[in-house]
Amino acid sequence: MALSGGLRCCQRIFSWIPVVIITSVVLWSYYAYVFELCLFTLTNTLEKVAYLLVFHVCFVMFCWTYWKSIFTPPTPPCKKLSYTDKERYELEERPEVQKQILMDIAKRLPVFTRAASGAIRFCDRCQVIKPDRCHHCSVCETVNNCVGFSNYKFFLLFLVYSMLYCVYIAATVFQYFIKFWVGELMNGPAKFHVLFLMFVALMFFVSLMFLFGYHCWLVSKNRSTLEAFSAPVFQGGPDRNGFNVGFRRNLQQVFGEEKRLWFIPVFTSLGDGHFFPMRSRNESRNPLLASEEQWEEEGGSDEETSGVQRDPSVTVEIES
């Protein structure tokens, strides 16, 4: 028991290593740009002020979005499994009867998606019916957190401001990079900081550009990473575009309807992560599948999160 607890503690510690590395690189870049370049190398006061002003705007937005991506917890869907339903399912040993019990429970919930076999998606580990687009947590190492409904907007903005931060550094450092390279400026500590700033900024920008491009494509299609590899299954069969409601509405699902808040790391995503608009009107009007209020009426908490890139964890609350 003690060994297991020790291993989990070590795992939690090691999981923070990527975040520590990224934070260290960013802090070094701050020192190199502000002190070595702007304060010790630049001689024009107006140029110093302009460079530092724009740099700090990019730096603050980067840090803000990174912080929100790391420390915003996944939002568990509100759902309660009644004591009667749970007891009935656990006492039943026949698989076909268990399946029918789940079907009966699902009639009271807004559940559209099915397992590959066509059965109700049920988590054996947590003993609960899975909401749509819901799966167990997969931690993104870059932020050491599940990227899900509650922080997907923050993660996308983190990518945006990371690229902006890298581009700004590379663009403003380039002329001094050339001057140091050809020997127009005197050698010193600033030279090495400027050279490494250029290389690191370009390297991170290229890697982030591909990741951001992939997530832009996911948002435009309204798919999670899992749905991009395996199409969600509905009552009528698999459909990769089942949640695709058009480019504009897909954007609004993540960023909200107020465009002035799109680039600010405050939560504006539509919905609550339990129910998602679907392309098929016939399916969304199915009497077995109601609106998101039905999750609230069933009330409770669950370790699983759902939604675009939803990475959940589930708990069962039993109604007494």
Side-chain angles (χ1 to χ4, degrees):
M1 198 72 176
L3 178 62
S4 177
L7 290 175
R8 283 196 297 270
C9 181
C10 290
Q11 184 181 18
R12 284 195 294 268
I13 293 173
F14 283 120
S15 67
W16 283 99
I17 290 178
V19 174
V20 171
I21 292 174
I22 292 174
T23 303
S24 301
V25 171
V26 171
L27 291 176
W28 163 77
S29 71
Y30 182 90
Y31 166 79
Y33 191 91
V34 172
F35 292 93
E36 295 293 344
L37 177 64
C38 292
L39 298 183
F40 300 156
T41 302
L42 299 183
T43 56
N44 187 305
T45 304
L46 289 178
E47 192 176 32
K48 281 185 183 181
V49 172
Y51 276 24
L52 288 173
L53 180 62
V54 178
F55 173 82
H56 278 91
V57 171
C58 296
F59 181 77
V60 168
M61 294 307 295
F62 166 83
C63 292
W64 189 4
T65 54
Y66 194 40
W67 176 274
K68 296 282 283 186
S69 298
I70 294 173
F71 295 106
T72 302
T75 302
C78 298
K79 176 172 69 71
K80 225 181 237 184
L81 193 63
S82 71
Y83 180 85
T84 303
D85 291 333
K86 188 172 187 297
E87 184 180 46
R88 193 157 58 107
Y89 180 83
E90 290 178 344
L91 293 177
E92 183 55 60
E93 296 180 354
R94 293 169 294 177
E96 64 278 4
V97 179
Q98 286 184 327
K99 183 177 178 180
Q100 185 58 47
I101 292 173
L102 294 180
M103 291 290 291
D104 293 339
I105 299 173
K107 291 177 181 179
R108 307 194 300 268
L109 301 172
V111 178
F112 290 76
T113 54
R114 298 289 184 263
S117 63
I120 297 295
R121 297 171 65 242
F122 184 75
C123 181
D124 292 319
R125 171 181 166 186
C126 305
Q127 295 291 293
V128 293
I129 293 177
K130 291 185 177 184
D132 290 341
R133 317 185 82 181
C134 183
H135 57 87
H136 269 285
C137 184
S138 177
V139 174
C140 173
E141 294 180 356
T142 305
V143 297
N144 191 32
N145 192 12
C146 301
V147 178
F149 175 78
S150 59
N151 66 348
Y152 190 47
K153 176 189 174 182
F154 306 146
F155 180 73
L156 290 175
L157 291 181
F158 159 65
L159 296 180
V160 170
Y161 288 114
S162 296
M163 290 193 300
L164 186 60
Y165 184 73
C166 292
V167 167
Y168 180 75
I169 288 177
T172 53
V173 164
F174 181 72
Q175 60 176 313
Y176 301 99
F177 171 83
I178 297 297
K179 289 179 180 180
F180 275 123
W181 191 266
V182 299
E184 290 185 17
L185 295 177
M186 56 183 285
N187 289 331
K191 175 179 180 178
F192 298 100
H193 284 290
V194 169
L195 293 179
F196 279 111
L197 263 179
M198 187 71 186
F199 285 121
V200 171
L202 289 177
M203 180 182 67
F204 273 90
F205 172 75
V206 171
S207 60
L208 289 168
M209 180 178 62
F210 287 106
L211 180 60
F212 179 68
Y214 176 64
H215 278 280
C216 285
W217 178 79
L218 290 177
V219 171
S220 69
K221 300 294 184 181
N222 204 341
R223 296 177 189 170
S224 68
T225 49
L226 287 182
E227 291 167 354
F229 291 101
S230 179
V233 179
F234 298 88
Q235 288 182 314
D239 184 1
R240 286 189 181 277
N241 295 310
F243 294 104
N244 187 348
V245 290
F247 181 75
R248 183 177 62 84
R249 291 185 63 194
N250 290 343
L251 281 179
Q252 290 176 345
Q253 287 292 304
V254 178
F255 293 99
E257 296 177 339
E258 293 192 54
K259 293 183 180 180
R260 61 190 178 87
L261 297 177
W262 278 14
F263 294 98
I264 307 296
V266 295
F267 184 80
T268 55
S269 300
L270 299 183
D272 58 3
H274 309 154
F275 174 81
F276 301 91
M278 280 171 287
R279 184 180 61 166
S280 172
R281 291 186 178 181
N282 292 333
E283 204 168 40
S284 64
R285 290 176 180 174
N286 191 310
L288 299 182
L289 314 167
S291 64
E292 57 191 86
E293 285 79 9
Q294 286 181 273
W295 286 111
E296 298 172 359
E297 289 174 2
E298 295 293 327
S301 94
D302 194 310
E303 278 178 9
E304 297 198 356
T305 53
S306 54
V308 177
Q309 189 73 2
R310 318 303 184 228
D311 294 328
S313 328
V314 180
T315 54
V316 177
E317 290 188 17
I318 301 178
E319 191 175 83
S320 57

